[in-house]
Short mmCIF file of all heavy atoms in Angstrom, two decimals:
data_model
loop_
_atom_site.label_atom_id
_atom_site.label_comp_id
_atom_site.label_asym_id
_atom_site.label_seq_id
_atom_site.Cartn_x
_atom_site.Cartn_y
_atom_site.Cartn_z
N ALA A 36 1.81 0.58 2.99
CA ALA A 36 0.97 1.67 2.50
C ALA A 36 1.82 2.90 2.28
O ALA A 36 2.80 3.12 2.99
CB ALA A 36 -0.15 1.97 3.49
N LYS A 37 1.48 3.71 1.28
CA LYS A 37 2.20 4.95 1.00
C LYS A 37 1.29 6.13 1.31
O LYS A 37 0.12 6.13 0.95
CB LYS A 37 2.64 5.00 -0.45
CG LYS A 37 3.71 4.00 -0.78
CD LYS A 37 4.21 4.19 -2.18
CE LYS A 37 5.33 3.20 -2.47
NZ LYS A 37 5.89 3.40 -3.80
N ALA A 38 1.86 7.12 1.97
CA ALA A 38 1.10 8.34 2.29
C ALA A 38 1.13 9.30 1.11
O ALA A 38 2.04 9.27 0.30
CB ALA A 38 1.69 9.01 3.53
N GLY A 39 0.11 10.13 1.05
CA GLY A 39 0.03 11.14 0.00
C GLY A 39 -0.91 12.26 0.42
O GLY A 39 -1.54 12.19 1.48
N LYS A 40 -1.02 13.27 -0.40
CA LYS A 40 -1.90 14.41 -0.13
C LYS A 40 -3.34 14.02 -0.43
O LYS A 40 -3.62 13.30 -1.39
CB LYS A 40 -1.51 15.61 -0.99
CG LYS A 40 -0.13 16.14 -0.69
CD LYS A 40 -0.10 16.82 0.65
CE LYS A 40 1.28 17.40 0.92
NZ LYS A 40 1.40 17.97 2.24
N THR A 41 -4.27 14.50 0.40
CA THR A 41 -5.69 14.24 0.19
C THR A 41 -6.33 15.39 -0.60
O THR A 41 -5.76 16.48 -0.69
CB THR A 41 -6.43 14.09 1.54
OG1 THR A 41 -6.26 15.28 2.29
CG2 THR A 41 -5.90 12.90 2.32
N ALA A 42 -7.50 15.14 -1.14
CA ALA A 42 -8.20 16.17 -1.90
C ALA A 42 -8.68 17.31 -1.00
O ALA A 42 -8.70 18.46 -1.41
CB ALA A 42 -9.39 15.55 -2.64
N THR A 49 -9.41 10.27 10.46
CA THR A 49 -10.61 9.67 9.90
C THR A 49 -10.26 8.35 9.22
O THR A 49 -9.34 8.29 8.41
CB THR A 49 -11.25 10.62 8.86
OG1 THR A 49 -11.51 11.87 9.49
CG2 THR A 49 -12.55 10.05 8.32
N THR A 59 -8.91 3.66 4.17
CA THR A 59 -8.18 4.90 4.01
C THR A 59 -8.11 5.62 5.35
O THR A 59 -9.12 5.73 6.04
CB THR A 59 -8.86 5.82 2.97
OG1 THR A 59 -9.00 5.11 1.75
CG2 THR A 59 -8.05 7.07 2.73
N LEU A 60 -6.92 6.08 5.72
CA LEU A 60 -6.72 6.88 6.93
C LEU A 60 -6.36 8.28 6.47
O LEU A 60 -5.48 8.45 5.62
CB LEU A 60 -5.57 6.33 7.77
CG LEU A 60 -5.81 5.04 8.54
CD1 LEU A 60 -5.87 3.85 7.62
CD2 LEU A 60 -4.73 4.86 9.56
N SER A 61 -7.04 9.29 7.00
CA SER A 61 -6.78 10.68 6.63
C SER A 61 -6.64 11.52 7.88
O SER A 61 -7.36 11.33 8.85
CB SER A 61 -7.92 11.24 5.78
OG SER A 61 -8.15 10.45 4.65
N TRP A 62 -5.71 12.50 7.81
CA TRP A 62 -5.53 13.44 8.92
C TRP A 62 -4.85 14.67 8.36
O TRP A 62 -3.80 14.56 7.74
CB TRP A 62 -4.70 12.81 10.01
CG TRP A 62 -4.65 13.58 11.30
CD1 TRP A 62 -5.43 14.65 11.66
CD2 TRP A 62 -3.80 13.34 12.41
NE1 TRP A 62 -5.12 15.08 12.92
CE2 TRP A 62 -4.11 14.28 13.41
CE3 TRP A 62 -2.81 12.43 12.67
CZ2 TRP A 62 -3.46 14.33 14.62
CZ3 TRP A 62 -2.16 12.48 13.88
CH2 TRP A 62 -2.49 13.42 14.85
N GLY A 63 -5.44 15.82 8.57
CA GLY A 63 -4.91 17.04 7.96
C GLY A 63 -5.05 16.93 6.46
O GLY A 63 -6.11 16.61 5.96
N ASP A 64 -3.96 17.16 5.73
CA ASP A 64 -4.02 17.01 4.28
C ASP A 64 -3.22 15.79 3.81
O ASP A 64 -2.82 15.70 2.68
CB ASP A 64 -3.51 18.28 3.59
CG ASP A 64 -2.05 18.56 3.90
OD1 ASP A 64 -1.47 17.90 4.77
OD2 ASP A 64 -1.48 19.46 3.25
N GLU A 65 -3.01 14.83 4.71
CA GLU A 65 -2.29 13.59 4.40
C GLU A 65 -3.24 12.40 4.52
O GLU A 65 -4.17 12.40 5.31
CB GLU A 65 -1.12 13.37 5.36
CG GLU A 65 -0.04 14.42 5.29
CD GLU A 65 0.86 14.26 4.09
OE1 GLU A 65 1.09 13.12 3.65
OE2 GLU A 65 1.32 15.29 3.57
N GLY A 66 -2.98 11.38 3.75
CA GLY A 66 -3.77 10.17 3.82
C GLY A 66 -3.01 8.99 3.26
O GLY A 66 -2.03 9.16 2.54
N CYS A 67 -3.45 7.79 3.60
CA CYS A 67 -2.88 6.59 3.01
C CYS A 67 -3.98 5.54 2.97
O CYS A 67 -4.94 5.61 3.72
CB CYS A 67 -1.65 6.10 3.76
SG CYS A 67 -1.98 5.45 5.39
N GLY A 68 -3.82 4.60 2.08
CA GLY A 68 -4.85 3.57 1.95
C GLY A 68 -4.24 2.22 1.65
O GLY A 68 -3.10 2.11 1.21
#
Side-chain angles (χ1 to χ4, degrees):
K37 291 186 178 183
K40 297 289 182 185
T41 59
T49 304
T59 305
L60 287 72
S61 304
W62 191 11
D64 63 351
E65 296 284 328
C67 69

